[in-house]
Amino acid sequence: MAGESAAESARRMRERATRLHQSAQRYERGAEGERATAAVLGELPPADWTVFHDIRWPGRRFANVDHVVVGPPGVFAIDSKNWSGRLDVQDDTLRQDGRRRDSTVAGATQGAIAIGQMTRSVPPRLVVPVLCFVRDAEVTGSAKGVLLCSTSNLVEMLSTREPQLNPAQRQQVCFDLKAALRPATERSVHREPRRSAATNKPAGRRTRPARAKSSGRAGRALLGLATAVAIGFTGVALVNTDLPNAFGRALVSLVDDTHHSDPAKDKPGHPGPSGKAGRR
């Protein structure tokens, strides 16, 4: 059918565009939730509380921790959720409109563990994971060790917990985190291996020595030259039949002269006819 393949391509592109649009909407909604939570955290007294926002998740390339709060009760890794629907906890399990949200709870726990590994100034039990839901209604309780709250009661939940850290401890924790944490917008850059200036190849790698080809090439060239001379000599001999005989006589004369020559006369220091040694 005419135009069928083009129509199919257009359909797939529309579906992909729809998925991208929906994904963008989720990210925008999440950004709104993080800004709402950050505004609420701004109500904490800065003399006692320090807040970090939008932190790159240690050890992960694209994930982030929304908020890290350091105060008298400890360290809190807060994940903002701009969810709709009904929330409840049954059998220590968080549900949204009846659906289990185990992965969300597990992600909050893993985020707190990652933050806790960046400072040894506090025990792990004082690095607490929190899920904060953006809504007017209060949310309370916990699920598998993760505190649950909303933007309506977040500050109250943090402020009313029992103090655990003195000012010196909080200062040390903040010092550790400032040295280790990076903004989520600061992504790791892939670095190419260093290359040596001489070879322009990655440093540390051995280069294979070039094989010796000159001797083989010279041998082949010499063989070709000898073959060409033999062929040429044969062709000339066919035209001039006296040439082989002349060549044979020259060869015999050369051998005879060599046989009758006195080798001793060619050596330096051999006595001449007068009996004196010749000059060297």
Side-chain angles (χ1 to χ4, degrees), residues 52-58 63-68 77-78 111 115 184:
F52 303 88
H53 298 292
D54 200 12
I55 299 303
R56 190 172 69 186
W57 190 312
N64 74 304
V65 178
D66 295 340
H67 319 276
V68 178
I78 303 176
I115 297 300

Side-chain angles (χ1 to χ4, degrees), residues 56 73-75 83 102 106 111 120 126 133 144 146 158-159 171 176 200 212 217 232 238 252 257 268 274:
R56 190 172 69 186
V75 182
W83 288 359
D102 295 335
R120 302 299 182 184
L126 294 183
F133 301 95
K144 293 181 170 57
V146 178
L158 295 176
S159 302
Q171 185 178 9
D176 294 342
N200 197 27
R217 292 177 180 176
L238 292 176
V252 170
D257 291 342
S274 61

Side-chain angles (χ1 to χ4, degrees), residues 15-63:
E15 291 178 352
R16 190 180 304 114
T18 299
R19 291 193 298 270
L20 289 174
H21 180 67
Q22 293 173 348
S23 179
Q25 286 182 325
R26 288 193 295 270
Y27 276 102
E28 290 173 352
R29 187 175 177 84
E32 293 174 359
E34 292 182 29
R35 287 192 290 266
T37 302
V40 171
L41 291 172
E43 301 175 7
L44 293 168
D48 297 326
W49 297 82
T50 303
V51 183
F52 303 88
H53 298 292
D54 200 12
I55 299 303
R56 190 172 69 186
W57 190 312
R60 298 193 182 186
R61 187 174 181 183
F62 297 108

Side-chain angles (χ1 to χ4, degrees), residues 193-196 199 201-207:
R194 292 183 302 172
R195 296 177 180 272
S196 60
T199 61
K201 293 183 179 181
R205 295 184 178 179
R206 296 182 178 178
T207 56

Side-chain angles (χ1 to χ4, degrees), residues 117-274:
Q117 291 175 345
M118 307 186 78
T119 174
R120 302 299 182 184
S121 304
V122 294
R125 64 179 180 83
L126 294 183
V127 183
V128 184
V130 179
L131 283 174
C132 181
F133 301 95
V134 180
R135 57 183 59 199
D136 295 332
E138 292 186 359
V139 177
T140 59
S142 64
K144 293 181 170 57
V146 178
L147 296 182
L148 307 177
C149 66
S150 70
T151 49
S152 298
N153 64 321
L154 172 60
V155 172
E156 179 184 0
M157 183 199 71
L158 295 176
S159 302
T160 56
R161 294 179 66 85
E162 182 180 355
Q164 301 287 341
L165 302 177
N166 59 42
Q169 290 174 315
R170 297 198 301 270
Q171 185 178 9
Q172 182 60 48
V173 171
C174 292
F175 178 82
D176 294 342
L177 294 180
K178 287 179 181 179
L181 295 178
R182 296 291 182 271
T185 54
E186 181 183 318
R187 301 301 181 189
S188 58
V189 179
H190 175 70
R191 299 181 183 274
E192 294 291 339
R194 292 183 302 172
R195 296 177 180 272
S196 60
T199 61
N200 197 27
K201 293 183 179 181
R205 295 184 178 179
R206 296 182 178 178
T207 56
R208 293 182 178 179
R211 295 180 178 179
K213 296 182 179 180
S214 58
S215 60
R217 292 177 180 176
R220 289 194 295 270
L222 184 60
L223 179 61
L225 179 61
T227 303
V229 171
I231 294 175
F233 180 79
T234 303
V236 173
L238 292 176
V239 177
N240 188 354
T241 57
D242 293 335
L243 183 60
N245 296 330
F247 179 77
R249 289 192 298 272
L251 180 60
V252 170
S253 176
L254 177 62
V255 173
D256 186 64
D257 291 342
T258 303
H259 177 71
H260 291 285
S261 62
D262 187 358
K265 294 181 180 180
D266 296 332
K267 295 183 180 180
H270 181 74
S274 61

